[in-house]
Amino acid sequence: MSQKVVLAFSGGLDTSFCVKYLSEDRGMDVYSVLVDTGGFSDADLKAIEERAYSLGVKSHVTISKTDDYYQQCLKFLVFGNVLKNNTYPLSVSAERIFQAIAAAEYAREIGASAIAHGSTGAGNDQVRFDMAFRIIAPDAEVITPIRDLRLSREAEIEYLKAKGVEQEWHKSAYSINKGLWGTSVGGKETLTSDQFLPESAWPTQVTKTEPETITLIFQHGEIKGVAGEMFTNSVDAIRKITELAGPFGIGRDIHVGDTIIGIKGRVGFEAPAPLILIKAHHTLEKHVLGKWQLYWKEQLANWYGTMLHEGQFMDPVMRNIETFLADTQAHVSGKVHVLLAPYRFQVLGIESDHDLMSSTFGSYGEMNNAWTGDDVRGFSKVASNQIMIYEKINNQ
């Protein structure tokens, strides 16, 4: 009886090679699985399924994880205003770990003795997949043909041709990975330290030139309304923001960061919805949360983003931080007005029943209603006591 192996399958060159290698060279029954976290159209999913069967898989399944992806991860990235290195909304980082988890759970469900992925040995994804597989299916053999054989793209193509796979494998000038939480863009410029991606490299071209203002509605930290339309599912609201803001060229940037394996890397991305949402949400929070809530949210959320980026999503401490982040959102409800324009956006202001900028207590720099000058004089004297004593003793 042939050994059963689950392959995390995308339909690209690397995973196509894996199907042939595992089924024909190693004599295994290949069960391919595509995990959809919001980056595929129905036509994409159908084409990938057909490709899998044409390559010789025993079975192919598509697992939809978009709603789980939002509920279990993306909403916490918004709650925490998470931008890696103050720039990157973790578009691919978050997506990959959810795909790895789903593939491993499927392998365990069907009793596969092995599980495989097509990552190379050069990036972060190999670690994310390996870790998820080991945690969820620790008894399964992990097979990584591209990494282990150290294959070049040309060698993979020649191998597939020898196996009768004559598909045209066009190497695009730019590698594109589209997802619900943003699209990554890699090319020759991102392999340098000084060059930016050209206009033609961006998947969404600029077609809107007249600025427009939209209003976002948050309920307990979650996006529920966009430009006059209310959404039950925040995933649909995210897609609506992408639809409105993407054609302005909003959300483009290059992230420079430390990979899990210890080298620096650059990647371009366009993520209009995440960047607008995080900035709008953060602005609303600055109006409705206290200073220590904001302080500790920033510390924990930054650490949460790093752990997620490095494949540590399943560590139980992450659930603890999520509980904290969710608890802070009780009063994060209101409207945020945002200006959209070519290549930029601007948060104009907020409206909220929980706005702590209340004129009932005073207006900053102008007047006060809830305290007197003598109150402030006494407070200042006590607050400065410790440093006053320190200075007097040490400057005698």
Side-chain angles (χ1 to χ4, degrees):
M1 183 176 178
S2 297
Q3 185 180 5
K4 185 184 294 186
V5 59
V6 164
L7 170 65
F9 185 75
S10 67
L13 175 61
D14 293 336
T15 53
S16 295
F17 173 91
C18 289
V19 173
K20 285 296 186 184
Y21 173 78
L22 293 169
S23 62
E24 299 189 12
D25 289 22
R26 296 193 54 166
M28 306 175 83
D29 288 337
V30 179
Y31 290 71
S32 59
V33 56
L34 174 70
V35 183
D36 181 14
T37 49
F40 299 96
S41 67
D42 290 342
D44 292 335
L45 296 176
K46 186 174 186 299
I48 291 170
E49 179 179 5
E50 291 173 352
R51 186 174 305 161
Y53 281 114
S54 72
L55 289 165
V57 301
K58 183 87 171 178
S59 170
H60 176 84
V61 298
T62 297
I63 299 175
S64 178
K65 280 288 181 180
T66 306
D67 288 341
D68 289 343
Y69 179 37
Y70 171 77
Q71 290 295 337
Q72 297 171 27
C73 181
L74 295 186
K75 75 176 183 182
F76 296 109
L77 296 183
V78 177
F79 291 172
N81 309 309
V82 176
L83 292 174
K84 183 69 173 169
N85 290 356
N86 297 312
T87 303
Y88 179 50
L90 297 178
S91 305
V92 176
S93 315
E95 183 179 69
R96 284 293 182 267
I97 192 65
F98 262 76
Q99 292 168 340
I101 290 170
E105 289 174 342
Y106 177 65
R108 187 174 60 186
E109 176 188 326
I110 67 170
S113 60
I115 185 168
H117 63 84
S119 301
T120 69
N124 291 318
D125 288 345
Q126 58 177 326
V127 178
R128 296 170 183 143
F129 276 101
D130 280 7
M131 289 181 65
F133 293 174
R134 276 189 47 80
I135 292 168
I136 295 171
D139 296 327
E141 177 189 3
V142 177
I143 305 174
T144 56
I146 309 301
R147 179 175 64 185
D148 294 343
L149 298 173
R150 304 184 70 174
L151 295 170
S152 67
R153 180 182 178 86
E154 291 71 24
E156 292 179 60
I157 292 172
E158 288 304 313
Y159 173 91
L160 287 171
K161 284 182 178 179
K163 295 288 186 180
V165 180
E166 293 294 339
Q167 180 175 336
E168 288 294 324
W169 301 102
H170 295 291
K171 181 171 176 56
S172 301
Y174 297 94
S175 60
I176 308 293
N177 183 83
K178 183 179 180 181
L180 176 67
W181 205 234
T183 300
S184 67
V185 185
K188 61 181 182 179
E189 292 84 3
T190 57
L191 298 176
T192 72
S193 297
D194 65 330
Q195 297 178 41
F196 199 75
L197 290 164
E199 186 71 22
S200 60
W202 301 103
T204 305
Q205 293 292 289
V206 175
T207 56
K208 285 185 176 182
T209 56
E210 291 298 318
E212 59 187 70
T213 299
I214 63 172
T215 297
L216 307 181
I217 298 176
F218 289 90
Q219 295 176 0
H220 305 299
E222 294 192 67
I223 184 66
K224 293 296 182 182
V226 181
E229 187 175 354
M230 296 300 295
F231 299 90
T232 302
N233 188 342
S234 295
V235 168
D236 297 326
I238 292 168
R239 287 180 168 140
K240 183 66 176 180
I241 297 172
T242 300
E243 174 191 324
L244 292 173
F248 280 109
I250 291 171
R252 298 175 176 181
D253 206 343
I254 290 184
H255 166 59
V256 182
D258 298 286
T259 65
I260 304 169
I261 56 178
I263 60 175
K264 293 282 187 184
R266 291 177 91 217
V267 64
F269 65 90
E270 60 173 39
L275 293 187
I276 290 170
L277 268 176
I278 287 171
K279 182 66 174 178
H281 175 267
H282 191 205
T283 302
L284 180 59
E285 282 194 326
K286 287 188 284 188
H287 280 264
V288 304
L289 297 184
K291 68 177 181 180
W292 293 118
Q293 286 178 299
L294 291 166
Y295 174 84
W296 283 112
K297 279 184 76 273
E298 183 176 354
Q299 311 313 308
L300 291 175
N302 183 52
W303 190 82
Y304 180 90
T306 297
M307 288 284 280
L308 176 64
H309 171 74
E310 297 191 353
Q312 298 284 1
F313 178 76
M314 285 172 283
D315 192 300
V317 73
M318 299 290 275
R319 310 292 82 77
N320 303 140
I321 297 175
E322 289 163 359
T323 299
F324 170 83
L325 291 174
D327 188 69
T328 66
Q329 301 302 293
H331 297 144
V332 186
S333 298
K335 298 178 180 179
V336 184
H337 308 298
V338 181
L339 173 70
L340 307 180
Y343 305 107
R344 68 182 180 90
F345 71 93
Q346 183 177 356
V347 176
L348 303 175
I350 71 103
E351 298 175 54
S352 174
D353 292 338
H354 305 286
D355 189 355
L356 299 178
M357 270 189 65
S358 172
S359 59
T360 302
F361 302 99
S363 297
Y364 177 69
E366 294 186 9
M367 62 179 292
N368 56 279
N369 300 325
W371 60 89
T372 68
D374 286 338
D375 292 335
V376 177
R377 187 176 292 109
F379 168 79
S380 301
K381 183 176 182 179
V382 172
S384 62
N385 262 343
Q386 188 175 64
I387 300 176
M388 180 271 292
I389 294 168
Y390 176 91
E391 289 293 328
K392 279 197 170 186
I393 289 176
N394 289 290
N395 289 324
Q396 287 180 350

